[in-house]
Every structure is written in C-alpha cells, then in structure tokens.
Amino acid sequence: MPSDALLTRLAATGRFTYGSPRALTVSSDGSLVLFLRSSGPEDPVERLWALDVATGVERLLAEPAEGPHELPPEERALRERTRLWAPGIGSYAVDGPTAVYALGGRLFRVDIATATVAEVPVAGPAFDPRPSGDRIAYVTAGRLYVHENGGNRLVAGESHVTWGVAEFAAAEELGRHRGHWWAPDGSALLATRVDETRVPRHPPADPAQPATATPEPAYPQAGGPNAAVELHLLGLDGARRQILWDDVRYPYLTAVDWSEQDRPVITVLDRLQQNGLLLAVNPATATTSPLARLSDPLWIEAVPGTPSLLADGRVLTTVEAHDTQALAVDGTVLTPSWLYVRRVAGFLGDDLLVEGNEADPAEQHVYRLGPDGTTARITHEPGVHSALTGGSTLVLTSGSMETARTRRVVHPGGLVQDPAVEIRDLSAASPYRPRPILDRVTEHRLPSAVLYPSGHVPGERLPVLLDVYGGPGYQAIAAESGRWIRKQWWADQGFAVVTIDNRGTPNVSASFGRAIFRRFSQVALEDQVAGLHELAGKHPDLDLSRVGVRGWSYGGYFAALAVLRRPDVFHAACAGAPPTDFRWYDTAYTERYLGLPDENPSGYDADSLIADAPGLERPLLLIHGLADDNVRPLHTLRLSEALTEAGRAHSTILLPGVSHMTPDGVAEDLMAAELDFLRRALPS
C-alpha cells in the first residue's frame, strides 16, 4: 500500500481501532459483559452493548442521542488523560440493572434488561455520573449533585473549590480518575474536596485564543504547591464529615474502595511516594486506622489492584523479591520467584488472578494463584493477555504477532477449556503483518527490535530510525502486532527501524526499572547508544552514518537529548511534546523519580536540555500542541528561544488546539511532515 494511502487509512480507521470492543465490564453475577463499540471500521461513534454470557447474543443497549454534544471541560480533560478520543459514549458506569453515561453534558440512564434509554434532567452539564439504585451522583461545574425522584439535590459545592473530581496529580500520574464513591447501600457518598487556589495558573499558550481567554488549568509544577485534597463523607440529609488522616505527611490520596458497607479503605502516599498507608475508614466517626504501612527507599511501585484488603481481613501488597515485582499477603510473599507481577485482575472463586511475565518481558500472561500456594498459567499462546472477572465468568483479552486483531473471549465457567464466546471485533484488519526481530542486547539485556522494509534485500544498507519512548511507565517492546503497525510504515519508507527499551522502562526486573532514580538522561542515553551499536553489529545493513531519532513526550525529550549530547551518533531528530526541563513538569511524576528540585539540583540540571541549546549541530524538528496540559507548550517554546538566542537553526511545528495525545488525522499528518524532514536532514 502506498505510504500516503496507508496514512489516509490509519486516520479513517482510528489506527485500525474503530469497531473494536473496549471498556469491558463483567456484571457481578457474571451473566453479562458490557462494552463499548462502534458500528464498523470507519465509524468512530461508540455505542453501549451487552453480551449475554449464557447465549452468546449481543444486544445494543444505547447509542448517542441526537442533539448537541459539546463536551464540558471536565469530560474533555478525562478523555485526554485516559487516552479516549472516539466520539459517542466515551465511558459509562454500572450498578446492578442500571447503566449511566454522560454525553456532551447530558445524562442518560439505561435499563440493561430492556435496553430502554431515558435522558435524566440535570442541574447543569453532567460529568462522571455514578448510579446507586435509583439515584445517580454526578458533577456539574465542580459541584456534586444527586438525582433522585426526578429532582436534583446539591450535595456539596462552594466557590473556588471542586467537589467529586480527581485533581490533576491523581488523574494524570497516580491512577485515580474519579472523585466520588457511593456507599454499597446508596445511603452516603465519599467525595474529594479539591482546593487549587495555591496552584499556579498560566495564560493560554495558544495564540488562536483571545488574550481574555480562560487561563490554563491549574498545573502543579515540580517543587511547587499541590492542590489541597480532602475526603469527605456526605450524607444525603446534608450531613458532612471530613475523613481524617495525617494529610500533611501523606498528601496524596491514590485510591478509595467502598465495596464493604462498614469499612471503606483508602490509600495515601507521601509527596515523594516513598511511604504510604492503607487505611480503614470508620464511617461513624470519620476516623481512620492503619491496615498496612508501605515503604520503599526509592519509590513505591504498586501493582494495580494493590494494596487492598482481602475478604478475610488480610492485606495484599506489592513487594520486591528476587528482583521481581511480587505479591505478599500480610507481608508473606505469595508469588513464585520466576513471576514478575504486573496487575491483580481479581478473584475467580478462591483463586487470585494476576497478569505478569516470566523470562520474556515482551509477553504477558494470566496466572491463577490458588489458596494452597500453587501458581498455574492459563494463557499459553505467545502474546499479550489480560483478564477480567465477574461471578464465575472469565474474559481474556489476547493480542499476538500472528493475529491482526485483538481477541476478547468470554469463558462462562471460568475455565479456559470450557466452551467460550468471542465478542465480535468489527475493526478493519491492518494491511501490514509487521515482523520485528526481537532481541536482548548489552550486558543489561535491553529488550530491542529491528524492523526492515517489506521486501528488503539483505546487503542493502539502510538509514536507521530509532523510534523511541524510553521513559518510566511504558514498555515499547511487546509481542502484539498493533504496537508495530506504524513502525512498519516507517520501515517501508526506507528505514531500518530500531526500538529499544532502556533501563527505567517497566516489566523487565525491579532493578532494571529503578535504574533511573534521580537521573533520567544518563541511563537512557547510555543504554540507547550501546543497544544501537550492538544491534548494528548483528544487523550489518544498519548504516550508522545515517541515524535519525523520533519520539513523543518522554520519547520527544530523548530525541532532542540525543542530537544535543550525542551528535556523533544521532544525525537528525523529531522531538514531539518534549519536557525540556523537568522543573517545569508536574509534581507527582517528576518528584517520584528526581526528588524535589531544591534537594536534587544537580539531577535536574543534568536532565535539562536548555543549557545544551548552544551546542546543537544537527537538524532538529520540535513539535508541540498548544493545548497540551500534560507537557505544557512552554517546554518547546523555551528550548526554541534558547536555540534562537544561540543562533542555532531548528524547525518547529506548533499545533493550535491540539493537546498531548494527537487525534486521528493530525497524527498521520505529522508522520508525513516528520518523514519529509528526515529525508531532507539525513544524508542520502
């Protein structure tokens, strides 16, 4: 397929995701699987569906109603932070027979049994609705309401304070995307109260906005003040009590679980995320008591699903053992030394389901941990597998290098060998079957891959494109084809595409992931250069006299870093949304790894790119969306200013109205622009 035709196809199909089921939820009794899916491969509008587990029949429950669907600011921010771009029903919540969703500020209730949809009158544009019986809690303009009996009751709200919504640090960096939780019996709510008055706000960077436009959202910058976050118990009768813990020592509220009526559980961390508590909440007194203390001399790396209180009163936590991420119950290690745990998926009967890997970090499998200590792998095909449970039903999501689409298979009895039902995937199949050559290189055994152009003839020397991320929290090398489609496109433009997961990226070993503590640039640059050279020794068609590098976000930072500090290795770079000085990045992410700027000034100086600007001697393309509220545009603008002041030529693309995750169409246009830049920048 010609390169421009594939880019058009990528944009039209949402990068081959339109029509794929996502946002799966298994009902508590295991009888239904709810999910979102559009009608086909070029339809971006998502609808709500249900699969009857017993019959295998899919039913359409709800589709977007006609009318205005302008997203309120909170919903736009949520879709940005959770990487949801498709229009239509972007998210939903379920309680028993009822599902609810907000669309463009309008609120809808779905009777799951009859597929009846009713619009619910609201006090204003609704965000993050959560049902409990006949009641629905939702947020409007930072105020928390409950809809009941046809009316809307204000439960909490005050000027200059936000109720019931996750603050920036929680939503962006700490994994908590919500701010209100129902009691199991629907009699009360736990809700966050967020005061951002101390957090700086900045004028809009987008010149397309008028000078009088609303300033950027409050952004907690490394070393500066965070939002003040409280948790309150709100009765429907107007009663209010603040939940008490040492929030001076432990300012981050990272998780709330109210699945047991008399014992809500919360997790709190200190600012550097080296110490934390799992706390039981007494709803009668609004006091807390510790269930477990968490600590790590570097930072707490909690497996999703931990820490948690088990049904028998024991506590499940993440620990480091045998250089892996392991699980422990009341401090006793539960998982075997050969298993690196990535996520706790839930329970299936008395067995704990976890996702993890063994020797090969490119794969992820699902394991059952029995109460007798036995561990059994239940997925066996090479690839990346994950699990959901509800009642006795197990849903396995599986991707591999051999299949064009990800499969979602429902096992009604919870056993993989039982008869199964597959949720239909209506997405387009990619015309590519990428064949990356996976390897482990250097003494650190860095996961790596090389992709050649389709039909490459051995002996033909190729310019190299290092397509990189390299930062904490994201693994680029994975055995599923979807990760490689765009990389294969780059290869087919005439490059040998190289990708390397340097130390600091996850899922290899505990020491591997923690090697970037208090230092980003040194480890990443050393590993990428060493890995590139070793791969060139194994692949003689890699021409190291012509090496380009591209990346986005942390990958954009690395791309700029590479040409500024190692121009002997890297000859041109495309740096998208690069954080050019981590003093300007957010608190929770930056301080977890680099500490406070005042306590580690040399580390922040070493990782800043601004002082390197006068030394630029290679072509550099900087790209940034001017509506980016993750890596703010000031990062690129200030590096560009420093380069200009030093008389160093460079190129920039600034994108009005575009945020951190570029939407369909824009990303493909940027790929074409990057290709043109690299072809001109690299010697032929």
Side-chain angles (χ1 to χ4, degrees):
M1 179 178 288
S3 63
D4 55 347
L6 180 67
L7 291 181
T8 300
R9 188 71 174 143
L10 282 167
T13 61
R15 305 164 202 176
F16 303 108
T17 62
Y18 295 163
S20 293
R22 69 164 194 88
L24 277 63
T25 301
V26 185
S27 63
S28 59
D29 64 0
S31 64
L32 295 173
V33 180
L34 275 66
F35 58 94
L36 298 176
R37 187 182 62 200
S38 72
S39 65
E42 295 190 8
D43 177 13
V45 180
E46 294 183 323
R47 297 145 174 91
L48 180 62
W49 295 79
L51 172 79
D52 187 297
V53 172
T55 65
V57 174
E58 296 178 1
R59 292 185 296 121
L60 177 63
L61 298 183
E63 53 186 333
E66 296 181 358
H69 296 310
E70 178 67 26
L71 299 180
E74 298 92 344
E75 189 171 346
R76 286 199 304 272
L78 178 68
R79 293 193 181 211
E80 162 69 13
R81 289 168 183 160
T82 54
R83 315 312 189 224
L84 305 181
W85 282 106
I89 303 172
S91 62
Y92 63 95
V94 179
D95 181 60
T98 302
V100 298
Y101 61 91
L103 184 60
R106 299 163 66 187
L107 177 57
F108 298 89
R109 184 202 308 266
V110 183
D111 183 306
I112 296 173
T114 64
T116 302
V117 181
E119 184 167 359
V120 176
V122 290
F127 170 71
D128 195 20
R130 302 279 172 175
S132 179
D134 293 331
R135 297 167 175 151
I136 305 173
Y138 65 93
V139 176
T140 288
R143 296 171 178 260
L144 183 61
Y145 287 84
V146 169
H147 177 88
E148 181 182 16
N149 298 325
N152 293 283
R153 177 190 311 169
L154 177 64
V155 178
E158 54 193 290
S159 60
H160 308 299
V161 169
T162 299
W163 282 89
V165 177
E167 78 282 8
F168 181 95
E172 194 71 39
E173 308 296 0
L174 299 174
R176 176 172 62 79
H177 297 287
R178 56 188 292 192
H180 60 280
W181 300 263
W182 278 107
D185 67 357
S187 63
L189 287 154
L190 283 172
T192 56
R193 178 185 184 272
V194 178
D195 184 349
E196 295 180 322
T197 55
R198 300 183 307 162
V199 182
R201 295 175 183 268
H202 303 275
D206 192 338
Q209 298 186 38
T212 56
T214 302
E216 292 179 353
Y219 188 93
Q221 188 168 291
N226 271 312
V229 179
E230 300 171 354
L231 185 67
H232 288 250
L233 179 64
L234 306 175
L236 300 186
D237 58 359
R240 179 188 303 176
R241 281 183 167 179
Q242 182 180 350
I243 305 301
L244 301 175
W245 75 89
D246 185 354
D247 57 358
V248 174
R249 184 176 180 186
Y250 303 104
Y252 287 137
L253 174 68
T254 62
V256 176
D257 177 14
W258 202 352
S259 54
E260 297 294 329
Q261 178 66 31
D262 298 326
R263 205 178 197 189
V265 177
I266 65 174
T267 305
V268 294
L269 296 179
D270 67 6
R271 178 148 177 165
L272 295 185
Q273 300 155 66
Q274 295 172 327
N275 298 280
L277 298 170
L278 181 69
L279 298 171
V281 177
N282 184 332
T285 63
T287 57
T288 58
S289 56
L291 296 167
R293 297 184 183 276
L294 316 171
S295 66
D296 191 282
L298 304 184
W299 69 84
I300 294 170
E301 190 77 68
V303 168
T306 71
S308 62
L309 182 64
L310 301 178
D312 60 7
R314 296 182 298 165
V315 174
L316 182 69
T317 57
T318 304
V319 296
E320 183 180 326
H322 309 289
D323 203 21
T324 68
Q325 278 188 169
L327 296 179
V329 174
D330 283 351
T332 300
V333 175
L334 178 66
T335 47
S337 60
W338 45 263
L339 179 60
Y340 186 101
V341 180
R342 303 187 186 187
R343 175 177 171 266
V344 175
F347 277 90
L348 198 60
D350 294 330
D351 292 349
L352 186 66
L353 282 187
V354 302
E355 299 162 5
N357 59 277
E358 299 170 40
D360 186 358
E363 296 194 8
Q364 175 177 291
H365 290 278
V366 179
Y367 302 80
R368 291 183 77 144
L369 278 60
D372 59 356
T374 58
T375 302
R377 193 168 108 182
I378 64 173
T379 54
H380 300 285
E381 293 297 321
V384 176
H385 307 266
S386 59
L388 286 174
T389 64
S392 62
T393 297
L394 168 66
V395 181
L396 292 176
T397 298
S398 302
S400 77
M401 294 304 302
E402 303 305 319
T403 57
R405 298 183 181 90
T406 298
R407 301 182 64 203
R408 298 152 190 90
V409 180
V410 181
H411 302 271
L415 298 175
V416 176
Q417 60 265 34
D418 286 347
V421 178
E422 184 166 352
I423 301 174
R424 291 185 302 152
D425 189 322
L426 307 179
S427 64
S430 165
Y432 279 141
R433 290 295 180 273
R435 297 295 180 188
I437 302 169
L438 304 185
D439 201 353
R440 305 288 292 275
V441 294
T442 82
E443 71 273 21
H444 301 298
R445 303 201 69 234
L446 308 174
S448 66
V450 176
L451 289 93
Y452 287 105
S454 302
H456 171 66
V457 177
E460 179 187 359
R461 299 271 283 170
L462 297 168
V464 177
L465 178 61
L466 183 69
D467 194 338
V468 66
Y469 183 75
Y474 180 75
Q475 173 187 12
I477 306 296
E480 56 180 345
S481 60
R483 300 263 185 129
W484 303 97
I485 292 172
R486 285 190 287 175
K487 293 179 189 290
Q488 186 64 58
W489 178 86
W490 279 104
D492 284 355
Q493 308 318 303
F495 296 96
V497 174
V498 171
T499 296
I500 300 169
D501 280 337
N502 52 260
R503 285 172 294 161
T505 57
N507 303 329
V508 176
S509 69
S511 58
F512 189 98
R514 294 170 179 270
I516 45 80
F517 184 65
R518 300 298 187 259
R519 51 176 187 163
F520 276 147
S521 55
Q522 176 185 342
V523 172
L525 195 55
E526 287 177 355
D527 283 0
Q528 293 285 340
V529 170
L532 180 62
H533 283 136
E534 184 167 324
L535 286 170
K538 296 181 175 184
H539 297 266
D541 287 349
L542 273 60
D543 183 355
L544 294 193
S545 70
R546 296 178 291 164
V547 179
V549 55
R550 69 178 299 272
W552 193 269
S553 195
Y554 191 99
Y557 164 73
F558 181 86
L561 172 77
V563 291
L564 286 166
R565 296 194 185 170
R566 292 301 305 268
D568 57 318
V569 177
F570 300 99
H571 307 104
C574 299
T580 58
D581 189 318
F582 285 95
R583 289 182 178 88
W584 307 327
Y585 199 55
D586 71 54
T587 51
Y589 176 96
T590 309
E591 294 167 5
R592 180 190 305 147
Y593 307 114
L594 296 184
L596 295 168
D598 289 346
E599 296 176 0
N600 184 26
S602 61
Y604 278 82
D605 288 342
D607 289 338
S608 174
L609 303 182
I610 304 304
D612 294 291
L616 179 68
E617 57 185 72
R618 297 293 190 185
L620 171 62
L621 171 62
L622 299 171
I623 307 169
H624 219 119
L626 292 175
D628 191 336
D629 69 348
N630 179 318
V631 182
R632 294 171 296 161
L634 68 86
H635 287 269
T636 283
L637 296 175
R638 289 183 180 176
L639 178 56
S640 180
E641 289 171 2
L643 291 166
T644 301
E645 289 174 2
R648 299 299 177 181
H650 61 287
S651 302
T652 58
I653 298 176
L654 301 177
L655 304 165
V658 172
S659 57
H660 192 60
M661 303 304 291
T662 52
D664 300 328
V666 174
E668 288 70 33
D669 289 343
L670 287 177
M671 289 169 67
E674 290 180 67
L675 175 61
D676 179 67
F677 174 82
L678 289 170
R679 281 177 169 166
R680 288 185 286 107
L682 293 176
S684 58

